[in-house]
């Protein structure tokens, strides 16, 4: 059976096309002539924290191992024998673009044409040095020397660049390739978690850094920090490196100090993270550029390590995505005082001083004033510059309202003669052409299934969970009755409750001429015919349908008159049967964690609440079989991809539910390895994903995606874990970064894109709606307000505005749902099945909490409050929740 599974997985990778292509590239790479000189001698140096291994001929890095764990290498040394060719980058290389006055930019790279470098005599703190002239073209107007040295016990890599020409030259691009071992090709999950790393950039000028973390999330983390003249200005993908990029290799990037030459050319249509700059070197002038390599004890200790290394450290609450009705708090920790703030675009932010903390951190209030990206440049008295990239959005309430409207108008498809039965539905949308997407070579994108096609209708239904709208629900009821049940999902026969891979398919011989456009290339594996589209064997399609039914159950059960096409119990039973059908009709893929798989736990909880014992026992048993399988695996994050970042959500939730706490912690650590927190809205809380533009995007390529659905889905376990401890601010920052990241890309008029493009040629949203619905699911089920107190930062609110008056801490709730609040000092979790919170007041002297509920509306006469402790309230309990009659005005309740 295991042999069959491995064979099936291999075949699946083949049909993607990418793996076959990548294998061919690896073979071609192997056939190239070796030029790096690895057949000769290596040099080894033990520094206080690292064992450094250099290729003697090139003096590029062949190994960088922590002294405390010499079995682990941060660099791809295991690929050295195949990557020892011209054009392949290694740590220690340098790229430049240079021009003389009135000339064109000319590019130079030490990786382009390898030759043995000239070793230099070294002494003192310098452990190795070389003149790089032999591996650079003769016409380069500068000399470049590279040194490895020790400074305060830290390993430093320094480049000395000298203008050897008789005239001044301008360096318009200078980049240091960051080559670490993120090549997952040909490895098992156990091997990748033991041997490989991912890395994330804080593109923040002098405060910038790169964090390099093992996939397991355990062990020390490597920080690459600026040492001398190394502001992190831009982060460029090294697309000219022939190492095959694919679903198992994202590619390499370089740390750019200057980027003007690219901003004027390849990047001219994009708005960069930082202002592009260049350097003019006078004749015979030299300048040094140095990076240092520092170990942090662990991922959660990165901020403390930065402080120790005297790097400027910024902390923003609730993060760097700022709704316009939020008073964001910014804390700066640096030895030098602030001399100036610069805000671009002008007026996009408002910043005010707010004193200092007890430990001397500078405190500011930041408000978003204009929708869109905003850059705050902080200049310190010592000349150090730090940039923080924010994203200003409308209030969460308005973002979600606009999103729901866009989905049920612009994306509402109701063509009565549609040959594929997609009417009515919320269909995929192309924001560039402002048209609905009714055809695509990837059948599912136009076929209302899979993440890339179900995204629209899933998002529209999940929107109702947190902000129900009667008119929108009317349309969605039609979708359920006419399109979902009986077309997307089988309503009869042996496959009843099974979910099709797509309702759109490519079969020109069986359909009228003109059905398919001649401008679309349907000669791909993804253009499924009718038989393949109808297949119910892909488990990943089932959570979308189950979540839709579960949401409609909640609306019908806890509101009056919102849902009138079916009864609440029909919807709950449909959710149950869909879940069971996944395990029976799609058993192979069901062994893996599913994106949105947390919905199965929510369905189980509601089956128990409703007293459906037989169903709940059955569902729980099915889920325990899956969890038992995960418990037996060291890293249970498999999927149809060799490595994935979507199964962790469900694996954590069920592992935690069944008491497999070790496996839950293994899962959480893996999430934290690819989900950082740093002062940049794009990377803060951004769960790693780099291939789904291929399957659900318009600009189709392997590229790190900014706030793809992984961000908000992975925030579910992170915030769940935070509520268990309530004292780990790191988890709260990461989780909330992913949560708000999940709605950060919604446009000003309400369009939800698949993700944001990270390459500096674009730095914009993708134009297809794609698989964003899975991301909005993560926001909808996880959005909440968190109230906590930090020993130094004081009272903080994530999802609200906090004010303190004597003993009273008051938080105005600002989330779109306004239905969940966690009060960390009391570990109190307050949730509403119906009704909304207006504010929470905590009396620190009496330790009492008062909640204020908003007034009733036409469909919500009662609130249903759940409290996670033994508090008794003078209200009737209904299905475990306090049923609270709402009033025409706000209602205060003391807990």
């Amino acid at each position: 059976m295991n042999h069959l599974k491995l064979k099936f997985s291999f075949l699946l990778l083949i049909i993607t096309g990418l793996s076959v292509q990548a294998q061919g590239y690896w073979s071609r790479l192997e056939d190239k002539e070796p030029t790096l000189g690895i057949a000769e001698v290596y040099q080894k140096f033990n520094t206080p924290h690292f064992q450094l291994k250099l290729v003697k001929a090139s003096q590029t890095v062949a190994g960088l191992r922590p002294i405390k764990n010499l079995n682990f290498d941060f660099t791809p040394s295991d690929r050295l024998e195949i990557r020892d060719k011209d054009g392949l980058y290694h740590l220690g290389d340098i790229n430049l673009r240079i021009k003389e006055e009135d000339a064109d930019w000319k590019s130079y790279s030490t990786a382009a044409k390898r030759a043995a470098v000239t070793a230099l005599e070294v002494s003192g703190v310098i452990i190795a040095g070389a003149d790089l002239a032999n591996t650079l073209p003769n016409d380069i107007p500068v000399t470049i020397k590279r040194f490895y040295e020790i400074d305060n016990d830290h390993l430093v890599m320094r480049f000395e660049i000298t203008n050897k020409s008789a005239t001044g030259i301008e360096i318009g691009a200078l980049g240091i390739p960051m080559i670490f071992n993120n090549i997952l090709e040909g490895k098992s999950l156990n091997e990748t978690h033991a041997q490989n790393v991912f890395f994330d950039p804080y593109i923040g000028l002098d405060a910038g850094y790169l964090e390099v973390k093992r996939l397991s999330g355990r062990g020390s983390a490597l920080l690459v920090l600026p040492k001398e003249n190394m502001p992190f200005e831009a982060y460029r993908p090294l697309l000219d490196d022939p190492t095959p990029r694919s679903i198992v290799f994202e590619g390499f990037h370089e740390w750019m100090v200057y980027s003007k030459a690219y901003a004027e050319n390849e990047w001219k249509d994009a708005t960069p993270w930082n202002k592009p700059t260049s350097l003019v070197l006078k004749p015979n002038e030299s300048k040094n550029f140095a990076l240092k390599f520092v170990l942090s004890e662990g991922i959660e200790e990165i901020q403390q390590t930065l402080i120790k290394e005297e790097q400027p450290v910024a902390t923003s609450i609730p993060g760097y995505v700022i709704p316009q009705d939020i008073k964001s708090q910014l804390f700066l920790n640096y030895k030098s005082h602030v001399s100036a703030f610069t805000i671009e675009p002008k007026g996009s932010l408002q910043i005010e001083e707010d004193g200092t903390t007890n430990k001397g951190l500078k405190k500011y209030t930041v408000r978003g004033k204009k929708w869109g990206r905003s850059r705050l440049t902080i200049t310190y008295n010592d000349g150090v510059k730090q940039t923080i990239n924010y994203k200003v959005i409308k209030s969460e309430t308005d973002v979600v309202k606009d999103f729901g409207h866009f989905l049920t108008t612009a994306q509402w498809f109701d063509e009565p003669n549609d040959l594929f039965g997609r009417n009515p539905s919320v269909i995929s949308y192309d924001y560039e052409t402002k048209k609905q997407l009714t055809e695509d070579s990837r059948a599912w994108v136009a076929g209302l299934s899979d993440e890339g096609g179900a995204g629209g209708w899933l998002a529209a239904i999940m929107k109702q969970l947190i902000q129900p709208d009667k008119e929108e629900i009317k349309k969605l009821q039609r979708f359920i009755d006419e399109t979902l049940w009986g077309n997307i999902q089988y309503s009869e026969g042996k496959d009843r409750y099974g979910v099709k891979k797509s309702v759109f398919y490519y079969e020109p011989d069986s359909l009228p001429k003109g059905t398919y456009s001649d401008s679309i290339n349907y000669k791909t594996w993804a253009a499924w015919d009718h038989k393949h589209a109808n297949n119910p064997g892909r488990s990943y399609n089932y959570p979308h349908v189950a979540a839709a039914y579960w949401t409609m159950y909640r609306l019908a059960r806890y509101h009056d008159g919102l849902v009138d096409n079916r009864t609440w119990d029909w919807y709950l039973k449909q959710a149950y049967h869909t879940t069971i059908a996944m395990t029976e009709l799609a058993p192979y893929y069901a062994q893996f964690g599913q994106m949105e798989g947390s919905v199965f736990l929510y369905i189980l909880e509601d089956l128990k609440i409703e007293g459906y014992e037989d169903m709940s026992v059955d569902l729980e048993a099915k889920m325990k079989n899956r969890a038992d399988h995960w418990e037996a695996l060291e890293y249970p994050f498999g999927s149809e991809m060799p490595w994935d970042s979507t199964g962790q959500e469900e694996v954590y939730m069920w592992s935690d539910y069944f008491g497999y706490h070790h496996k839950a912690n293994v899962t959480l650590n893996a999430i934290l390895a690819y989900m950082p927190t740093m002062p940049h809205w794009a990377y803060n809380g951004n769960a790693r994903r780099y291939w789904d533009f291929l399957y659900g995007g318009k600009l189709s390529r392997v590229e790190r995606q900014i706030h793809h659905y992984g961000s908000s889905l992975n925030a579910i376990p992170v915030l769940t874990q935070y509520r268990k401890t309530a004292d780990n601010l790191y988890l709260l920052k990461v989780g909330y970064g992913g949560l708000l990241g999940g709605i950060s890309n919604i446009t000003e008029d309400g369009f939800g894109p698949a993700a944001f493009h990270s390459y500096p040629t674009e730095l914009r949203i993708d134009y297809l709606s794609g698989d964003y619905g899975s991301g909005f699911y993560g926001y909808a089920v996880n959005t909440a307000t968190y109230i906590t107190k930090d020993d130094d930062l004081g009272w903080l609110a994530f999802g609200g505005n906090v004010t303190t008056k004597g003993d009273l801490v008051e938080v105005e709730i600002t989330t779109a749902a306004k239905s969940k609040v966690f009060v960390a000092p009391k570990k109190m979790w307050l949730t509403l099945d119906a009704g909304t919170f207006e504010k929470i007041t905590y009396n620190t002297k009496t330790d009492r909490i008062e909640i204020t509920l908003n007034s009733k509306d036409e469909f919500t006469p009662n609130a249903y409050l759940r409290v996670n402790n033994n508090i008794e309230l003078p209200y009737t309990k209904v299905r475990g929740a306090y049923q609270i009659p709402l009033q025409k005005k706000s209602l205060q309740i003391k807990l």
Side-chain angles (χ1 to χ4, degrees), residues 539-553:
S539 62
Y540 299 103
N541 297 323
Y542 289 73
H544 317 323
V545 179
Y549 289 138
W550 173 74
T551 296
M552 296 298 284
Y553 150 74

Side-chain angles (χ1 to χ4, degrees), residues 86 182 255 316 357 424 438 472 501 869 895:
D86 286 350
N182 63 333
W255 174 315
S316 176
T357 69
T438 56
E472 293 174 359
K501 289 166 63 177
N869 56 27
L895 303 183

Side-chain angles (χ1 to χ4, degrees), residues 670-690:
I671 291 170
L672 295 179
Y674 58 72
M675 197 168 179
T677 178
M678 49 181 53
H680 196 301
W681 76 267
Y683 293 92
N684 188 56
N686 184 25
R688 183 170 299 274
R689 181 56 69 94
Y690 52 86

Side-chain angles (χ1 to χ4, degrees), residues 27 29 89 154 159 212 286 314 336 353 555 583 622 691 693 714 724 764 781 848 864:
S27 297
L29 205 58
Y89 291 101
H154 292 314
F159 294 89
V212 186
S286 296
S336 181
E353 287 189 42
L555 294 171
T583 66
K622 293 286 197 303
W691 61 77
F693 281 140
N714 281 278
K724 291 178 174 296
R764 59 158 175 82
V781 302
R848 298 292 297 273
Y864 293 88

Side-chain angles (χ1 to χ4, degrees), residues 228-244:
E228 183 180 7
N229 298 319
M230 283 297 297
F232 203 157
E233 181 171 292
Y235 193 52
R236 184 175 78 93
L238 296 170
L239 302 181
D240 56 332
D241 187 303
T243 307

Side-chain angles (χ1 to χ4, degrees), residues 110-302:
T110 55
K113 186 70 175 175
R114 297 289 182 186
V117 299
T118 303
L120 301 173
E121 289 190 15
V122 297
S123 61
V125 298
I126 302 175
I127 58 176
D131 187 323
L132 307 184
N134 293 345
T135 195
L136 288 163
N138 292 329
D139 67 344
I140 188 170
V142 298
T143 60
I144 304 177
K145 297 176 181 178
R146 179 185 57 221
F147 302 93
Y148 299 94
E149 51 198 35
I150 308 299
D151 182 79
N152 289 326
D153 287 345
H154 292 314
L155 174 64
V156 171
M157 183 168 65
R158 174 170 60 89
F159 294 89
E160 181 184 277
I161 301 178
T162 303
N163 181 2
K164 64 181 182 180
S165 71
T167 61
I169 60 162
E170 184 176 6
I171 300 177
L174 191 160
I176 310 299
M178 296 286 101
I179 311 302
F180 299 106
N181 195 10
N182 63 333
I183 306 173
L184 313 184
E185 169 72 29
K187 294 185 180 181
S188 68
L189 282 176
N190 285 7
E191 289 170 332
T192 59
H193 283 80
Q195 301 169 12
N196 290 101
V197 298
F198 284 138
F199 34 99
D200 292 291
Y202 169 34
I203 312 167
L205 296 186
D206 298 317
Y209 58 88
L210 192 80
E211 57 182 50
V212 186
K213 303 148 294 188
R214 297 172 66 167
L215 265 64
S216 67
R218 298 197 294 267
S220 55
L222 169 64
L223 298 180
V224 185
L225 304 178
K227 175 68 172 64
E228 183 180 7
N229 298 319
M230 283 297 297
F232 203 157
E233 181 171 292
Y235 193 52
R236 184 175 78 93
L238 296 170
L239 302 181
D240 56 332
D241 187 303
T243 307
R245 291 182 304 117
S246 68
I247 54 178
V248 286
F249 177 54
E250 174 188 351
F252 296 124
H253 287 68
E254 70 176 355
W255 174 315
M256 295 200 73
V257 182
Y258 307 115
S259 59
K260 177 185 173 184
Y262 282 91
E264 290 179 349
N265 294 282
E266 294 95 328
W267 305 351
K268 65 180 183 298
D269 295 326
T271 302
W273 294 125
N274 292 304
K275 184 178 179 181
T277 65
S278 64
L279 168 72
V280 175
L281 268 184
K282 299 174 182 177
N284 301 316
E285 183 182 3
S286 296
K287 198 172 184 74
N288 285 294
F289 303 89
L291 291 166
K292 64 179 177 179
F293 300 86
V294 175
L295 283 179
S296 174
E297 184 175 336
I299 292 174
E300 293 190 30
E301 288 73 36
I302 286 176

